[in-house]
Amino acid sequence: MATNEITIEAAGLTFNVPNGLFLGGSWREGSSGEKLSVFDAATGKTIAEVASATEEDAAEALDIAAKVQPEWGATAPRERSEILRKFYELIIEHTDELTVLQSLELGRAMPDSKGEVAYGAEYFRWFSERAAAITGEFRQAPAGNGRIATTHRPVGPVLAITPWNFPLAMVARKLAPALAAGCTMIAKPAQLTPLTMLYMAKLGQEAGIPDGVFQVLPTTSAKRISTLLEDDRIRKLTFTGSTSVGQALAAKAAEKTIRTSLELGGNAPFVVLSHADLDKSVEQAVAAKMRGAGQVCIAANRFIIHEDLADEFETKITEKLKTFVMGPGTDEKTTQGPMVSEDQRQKVIDLVKQAVDGGAKVLLGGNEALDNLSETHPELDPNGFWYPATVLTNVTPDNPIANEEIFGPVVAIQRVSSDEEALKVANDTPFGLAAYVMGEDMKATMQFAEKIEAGMVGVNRGAISDAAAPFGGVKQSGLGREGGFEGIEEYLDTVYLALDF
């Protein structure tokens, strides 16, 4: 085994994963020698110790990124395209390792982790096709006194900060378009889940990414890396995470007029209109809620159900969630893994308590079921961060659980008496990342969907992410778009050439 690697043994696989900083194409310890611990969410035990970057390490990474930026930006688009395609192929080739690694450090059930591998890989295939298709323009000036030409060039070194809940897809959504555009990138993975990104860096190196073009800096202190925003050489910030942190970083980036894209918090409504197909609604509601045990930025947060369908919806979704099997993410029988940490579980506990104190009724799960977990599920490690699938009804719009991201396996149901009331409740939030609407009258359903204040709307479907589609929100849920045709534009400057002929 090489230096700065650890051996992972889980789910019948044995493979090596880097645990050092990835700087300038090499793996190394942090300058202070400090380590951060990665935990198994199912047991609370330490999986690995990973090098923790300092401000000095971050400054060195930027020196390297700035030095190699001109050469990488001048690389032939076809060459960048072929590297991205090779990266895609390597991710697919190592699906099993990436699946197990995510389920181990995140706690997520393996079917969900395997789905993320396929989804994240698709960004590299999609942007491999976009790299060689960057367009410009040439036309006559309307005044007839010359020509207008436009071209594009890479923005420059990028700082990417990713969250813990999608350790592969979040770096893929940022790295693939940055590489396609010709930008270098310094990435900071979440402290809770750094191993997947480090393994991705290993695959990227094998794919042919030149030394210094992509660097990875795990750290115990995000501020050590965000200090790079004080340097004029950073020309782009891309961040996925909480609204409060994103807004603070954006304010810092604004001091240097750094281009910024943000994917922030959500409060997604899942609306079941009076004419919806009930069985389809329940099926899609589960898809929109339970992936990753609800720890998903676009997870349905508020279930807004027409009163004519509410009783049956509650019964059917309760029965559906009873079928979920809690267990370690790396167990093939598991369909619902633990929360990522005790802090995350406690947030869910608090929100459920506030909901019940405010008049909500528990139909399934809840804090009482958590208290009795050792009796009902003795097979689960008591040190794991478990929370059972939960259904609440009689939730009111003013309750905290209807106004904060739950980020857990809790279905919080509100009843409405009309489609007009449903729209009012759905839009009564400062957030606008994702939304979902179910209805069989397609004209009425589409009119409703077009009035929802969200950057992405699932119409009769609970899974909406697609590398070929623009991902992003409105209002306090973010700026810019990732994926789709728009995604590469976040990493390109448009240059206008005025021609005198």
Side-chain angles (χ1 to χ4, degrees):
M1 183 174 63
T3 306
N4 292 316
E5 281 193 339
I6 57 170
T7 299
I8 295 292
E9 296 183 16
L13 291 180
T14 301
F15 56 100
N16 293 336
V17 179
N19 67 335
L21 310 183
F22 188 53
L23 269 172
S26 64
W27 302 94
R28 64 176 83 170
E29 295 297 314
S31 57
S32 69
E34 183 184 6
K35 301 281 189 178
L36 62 86
S37 297
V38 182
F39 299 96
D40 180 347
T43 65
K45 296 178 180 177
T46 300
I47 303 168
E49 297 290 333
V50 173
S52 176
T54 64
E55 289 187 17
E56 291 74 19
D57 297 321
E60 182 180 356
L62 182 52
D63 288 342
I64 294 168
K67 182 178 179 180
V68 302
Q69 175 61 57
E71 183 177 356
W72 176 243
T75 302
R78 179 62 67 196
E79 183 177 342
R80 300 199 298 267
S81 173
E82 290 172 353
I83 290 172
L84 286 163
R85 179 69 192 202
K86 178 63 174 176
F87 205 161
Y88 161 77
E89 292 169 352
L90 284 168
I91 294 170
I92 297 301
E93 181 182 334
H94 292 275
T95 291
D96 291 345
E97 294 92 333
L98 287 163
T99 296
V100 168
L101 190 55
Q102 290 178 92
S103 290
L104 192 61
E105 67 174 343
L106 179 56
R108 184 173 53 195
M110 283 204 291
D112 291 339
S113 292
K114 189 172 184 178
E116 183 182 345
V117 176
Y119 169 59
E122 197 62 31
Y123 280 95
F124 290 95
R125 178 158 67 168
W126 173 257
F127 283 109
S128 74
E129 297 161 351
R130 305 276 74 74
I134 298 170
T135 62
E137 185 180 44
F138 182 83
R139 58 188 168 89
Q140 185 179 27
N145 60 349
R147 300 294 186 269
I148 294 171
T150 63
T151 186
H152 295 90
R153 63 187 174 204
V155 170
V158 177
L159 174 61
I161 300 175
T162 64
W164 50 261
N165 61 330
F166 280 90
L168 189 154
M170 293 300 99
V171 67
R173 282 209 316 233
K174 301 174 189 305
L175 178 60
L179 294 178
C183 294
T184 59
M185 175 176 282
I186 300 167
K188 188 205 81 66
Q191 183 175 343
L192 291 171
T193 56
L195 296 175
T196 299
M197 189 187 292
L198 292 170
Y199 195 80
M200 287 282 283
K202 179 181 180 180
L203 296 182
Q205 189 173 39
E206 187 177 341
I209 298 176
D211 293 348
V213 170
F214 176 46
Q215 301 177 90
V216 181
L217 301 180
T219 185
T220 57
S221 173
K223 290 182 179 179
R224 296 173 183 171
I225 313 303
S226 62
T227 55
L228 293 179
L229 295 174
E230 299 170 5
D231 194 305
D232 290 327
R233 294 174 296 173
I234 286 288
R235 297 315 310 146
K236 165 76 180 181
L237 166 68
T238 173
F239 170 83
T240 298
S242 71
T243 297
S244 58
V245 173
Q247 289 173 340
L249 289 172
K252 193 174 185 65
E255 296 175 7
K256 295 286 186 178
T257 322
I258 296 170
R259 285 187 60 171
T260 302
S261 54
L262 307 169
E263 185 221 314
L264 308 178
N267 189 14
F270 188 98
V271 180
V272 178
L273 300 175
S274 58
H275 43 80
D277 179 297
L278 194 60
D279 288 336
K280 186 192 297 183
S281 297
V282 170
E283 178 186 0
Q284 297 305 316
V286 172
K289 175 80 259 186
M290 291 300 291
R291 186 163 53 118
Q295 299 173 110
V296 177
C297 54
I298 59 171
N301 208 60
R302 298 170 293 149
F303 290 80
I304 302 166
I305 316 298
H306 193 282
E307 60 186 8
D308 292 348
L309 302 177
D311 285 344
E312 195 172 356
F313 180 88
E314 290 170 357
T315 298
K316 289 193 171 187
I317 200 166
T318 297
E319 291 304 311
K320 189 71 174 176
L321 294 191
K322 285 180 180 178
T323 67
F324 276 73
V325 178
M326 279 195 297
T330 52
D331 188 328
E332 292 184 353
K333 299 187 295 294
T334 296
T335 54
Q336 181 191 331
M339 305 271 79
V340 71
S341 67
E342 179 56 35
D343 286 346
Q344 190 60 39
R345 178 171 66 170
Q346 189 60 51
K347 290 178 183 177
V348 176
I349 292 170
D350 293 344
L351 284 171
V352 171
K353 181 179 185 303
Q354 291 170 337
V356 172
D357 290 346
K361 180 182 177 183
V362 179
L363 300 181
L364 177 71
N367 293 345
E368 186 174 341
L370 175 62
D371 292 340
N372 296 326
L373 209 59
S374 60
E375 298 176 10
T376 58
H377 292 80
E379 74 281 6
L380 299 179
D381 191 308
N383 296 310
F385 310 126
W386 311 105
Y387 196 86
T390 296
V391 179
L392 305 176
T393 188
N394 296 337
V395 173
T396 57
D398 60 341
N399 196 287
I401 206 166
N403 293 282
E404 298 179 25
E405 271 193 300
I406 301 170
F407 246 61
V410 181
V411 174
I413 298 172
Q414 304 177 49
R415 297 187 178 209
V416 291
S417 59
S418 68
D419 294 353
E420 291 75 21
E421 182 185 0
L423 183 64
K424 183 176 182 296
V425 173
N427 286 339
D428 187 20
T429 174
F431 303 102
L433 186 58
Y436 307 86
V437 56
M438 305 294 298
E440 291 301 295
D441 180 336
M442 286 310 297
K443 179 179 179 181
T445 304
M446 286 302 297
Q447 288 175 337
F448 189 98
E450 290 173 354
K451 294 176 183 175
I452 293 180
E453 297 169 354
M456 300 171 286
V457 182
V459 179
N460 287 328
R461 59 185 293 182
I464 61 175
S465 296
D466 190 323
F471 190 106
V474 299
K475 299 196 282 190
Q476 291 191 37
S477 287
L479 301 168
R481 292 295 182 269
E482 295 180 316
F485 294 106
E486 296 85 348
I488 198 168
E489 295 172 6
E490 299 286 341
Y491 299 90
L492 293 169
D493 282 330
T494 299
V495 180
Y496 157 49
L497 304 174
L499 305 178
D500 187 20
F501 69 92

